[in-house]
Amino acid sequence: MTTDTSLPIPAFSFIKLDKSGKPGLVAQRCTACGAAYADSERVACGKCGARADKLETFTPSLEGTLHSAVIVKRGFPGVDVPFISAVVDLDGGPTVKGTLRNTGFEPENIAQGIRVKVCFDDALGRKDKQGNSFIAHYFEPISA
Amino acid sequence: MSQDIYIVGINMIDFGRYPYRTPAQLGAEAALAALDEADVTIKDMQAVFSGSNYTTMIGQKVLQQIGQTGVQIINLVNACSTGASAVRMACSAITAGEFDTVLCVGVEQMTGLGMLGGAVPGAIPTEGLLGSATMPAVFGESGMEYAARTGATQADFAQVSVKNHHNATMNPKAFLRKETPLEMVLESETIAYPLTKFMCSINVDGAAAAVVMSEEKVKQRGLMGQAIRIRASAMASAPWQERDPIMHDVNGPTQLAADKAYAMSGIDPKDLDLVELHDCFATVELQHYENLRLCGDGEGVKMIRDGSTEIGGKIPVNVSGGLLSKGHPIAATGIANMFEIAVQLRGQAGERQIPGAKIGMTHVVGLGTSAAVHIFEKA
Ligand SMILES: [Zn+2]
């Protein structure tokens, strides 16, 4: 048995690794009103106010639809441009923000309604002060 | 409102870059100009509502410059709605009967912050990984959502910059005062498509201040001749919406605040002579035409295409040049928008005067989210 100390750390709270280290998404849904959140530790429902005992954890779909996006051409120092900042409605919820990759940088590449899938990969080589690696989610177009 | 409330003195400093001046000095200059116009002194102020997003305790710092009278000072931090929030608080406090004369000040010093602002510290930087959290990206995404719904094109959005920059050529207080033809706007550096550099407001230093009085006090001091009646003062936060705050919703809070303001004043959108709205980015101006009920759903595009919101159009918008031209010193912007309305209602706007302007609206919206809408009428 090896220990999991070498496993990367999820970059965001809505990414979770299973026991084998395989990454997936985690989200919460309100059983009272149906609202979905890309979160795992909500105190209550922001839509109806139901308390945490009414919130269930679920595994969202790894496919969804592009709702809106921009092509970022001027970025912070050290951040490679261009890249696409995207808002995606996962099938069955919730909405997740992220970077859309493996596509072009033309307006037609960010049209609303494009079908995308969620992939997981190293967080652009970024490490924390202790030298830990992180794993992040990326959107990629589902080619027809 | 249960009793009428008025702005009797209002001013803004010329927005720009003041690296060698302190926020307190900028705020003090605006405050003194507002006090002078109202023919009162700091000793007449019974309370101060002040705000800044980057400087703490700004009200105290301003009074350390112009007079430490010991009055109550409440500092507000409410993003881009901070200055308007100060006026809203003044209205609430005067309506409650606690005060009859109040000073409102909004100040921001932003020189050196750059267009994108600073990265938020965390375990690892998230910019480029979690999409982009810069304002051009956030507002660009909101604009692309609008475009998908209405068919607005990048050129439609760019036309907002053409209009507002043109208006600013007639406003000596604006930071950017030059014509930017459509090709120039579209061909300038792309920041976050669809937004180019000329479609983004500029981070500048600024301050604006207003003296707010109850009707009784205005009459007592004989200031009715210059008074601007506040017909409505309304604010709202973001109501629950499935994508907010993953995607900040600037539409819902604006609609809520606008509807409250119309209900409060009994004024109809068609009664408005001009509107100063929160054009932090060119895209969002079209969204706010609809949010503020200046037109029907999906008709914002038509408004910019047919010139309805130009000077001389059906409902001129951002006659001052807007945030796109004046610059956008966060906490000062709300009161600066009111300054333009006051100048217009008094018929003192010179070349850019809307003839016979009687009723004007101001709007700001801060991400997070907070929207403020005020309606004014010449007393
Ligand atoms: Zn709920």
Side-chain angles (χ1 to χ4, degrees), chain A residues 66-117:
Chain A
L66 185 66
H67 177 67
S68 190
V70 294
I71 306 162
V72 178
K73 301 231 174 147
R74 190 200 282 190
F76 289 152
V79 175
D80 288 339
V81 287
F83 66 88
I84 294 174
S85 174
V87 176
V88 169
D89 295 336
L90 297 176
D91 297 343
T95 297
V96 175
K97 188 156 173 166
T99 299
L100 174 65
R101 68 179 191 182
N102 283 7
T103 189
F105 297 105
E106 299 301 324
E108 62 262 29
N109 300 122
I110 59 167
Q112 189 178 67
I114 289 175
R115 292 289 294 163
V116 301
K117 61 185 176 186

Side-chain angles (χ1 to χ4, degrees), chain A residues 30 33 45 48:
Chain A
C30 176
C33 75
C45 173
C48 76

Side-chain angles (χ1 to χ4, degrees), chain A residues 112-130:
Chain A
Q112 189 178 67
I114 289 175
R115 292 289 294 163
V116 301
K117 61 185 176 186
V118 178
C119 310
F120 298 92
D121 207 342
D122 179 72
L124 301 173
R126 294 175 188 173
K127 296 181 193 304
D128 66 10
K129 289 196 186 84
Q130 288 74 42

Side-chain angles (χ1 to χ4, degrees), chain B residues 144-375:
Chain B
M144 289 302 278
E145 178 186 67
Y146 176 82
R149 179 167 69 78
T150 62
T153 65
Q154 189 191 28
D156 291 324
F157 295 135
Q159 194 61 39
V160 171
S161 297
V162 174
K163 169 181 72 76
N164 293 358
H165 291 154
H166 167 72
N167 292 350
T169 61
M170 296 174 276
N171 183 0
K173 284 190 180 289
F175 181 71
L176 180 70
R177 290 194 303 271
K178 74 169 181 185
E179 299 285 356
T180 57
L182 187 61
E183 314 76 63
M184 188 191 283
V185 175
L186 289 171
E187 284 163 18
S188 64
E189 180 194 351
T190 298
I191 306 298
Y193 177 89
L195 293 169
T196 67
K197 188 177 129 185
F198 280 128
M199 296 160 76
C200 302
S201 59
I202 309 159
N203 288 342
V204 296
D205 306 327
V211 176
V212 182
M213 269 184 194
S214 68
E215 177 155 34
E216 193 184 350
K217 198 72 182 176
V218 174
K219 285 179 177 160
Q220 188 192 320
R221 286 198 168 257
L223 292 169
M224 208 46 96
Q226 68 195 61
I228 303 295
R229 183 147 67 117
I230 303 174
R231 291 285 305 266
S233 171
M235 290 187 66
S237 60
W240 189 89
Q241 195 260 53
E242 59 178 337
R243 297 186 187 89
D244 181 89
I246 301 299
M247 182 176 177
H248 288 287
D249 174 23
V250 296
N251 302 311
T254 296
Q255 292 161 7
L256 284 179
D259 290 344
K260 278 197 230 183
Y262 287 125
M264 199 177 271
S265 60
I267 285 170
D268 190 84
K270 67 176 186 316
D271 300 329
L272 299 173
D273 294 305
L274 76 159
V275 175
E276 289 285 307
L277 63 75
H278 201 74
D279 60 328
C280 49
F281 295 91
T283 41
V284 82
E285 177 163 319
L286 300 190
Q287 296 170 240
H288 291 320
Y289 293 165
E290 300 182 23
N291 295 331
L292 295 172
R293 319 301 188 196
L294 306 183
C295 62
D297 281 351
E299 292 174 1
V301 184
K302 186 170 160 284
M303 296 276 280
I304 193 71
R305 285 184 188 166
D306 69 13
S308 291
T309 57
E310 293 170 8
I311 294 174
K314 195 174 64 175
I315 173 68
V317 171
N318 288 329
V319 178
S320 68
L323 283 53
L324 286 171
S325 318
K326 279 185 297 193
H328 180 24
I330 311 293
T333 293
I335 298 177
N337 285 2
M338 295 176 188
F339 173 73
E340 177 68 16
I341 297 295
V343 168
Q344 290 280 347
L345 298 185
R346 289 170 179 163
Q348 298 167 344
E351 272 188 279
R352 66 183 193 285
Q353 179 67 44
I354 304 301
K358 286 189 175 60
I359 297 176
M361 169 184 274
T362 60
H363 159 258
V364 283
V365 57
L367 274 199
T369 301
S370 171
V373 173
H374 286 78
I375 299 176

Side-chain angles (χ1 to χ4, degrees), chain A residues 29-35 37 44-51 54-55, chain B residues 240:
Chain A
R29 191 191 320 275
C30 176
T31 56
C33 75
Y37 301 93
C45 173
K47 182 182 184 186
C48 76
R51 300 296 171 89
K54 292 279 190 287
L55 300 177
Chain B
W240 189 89

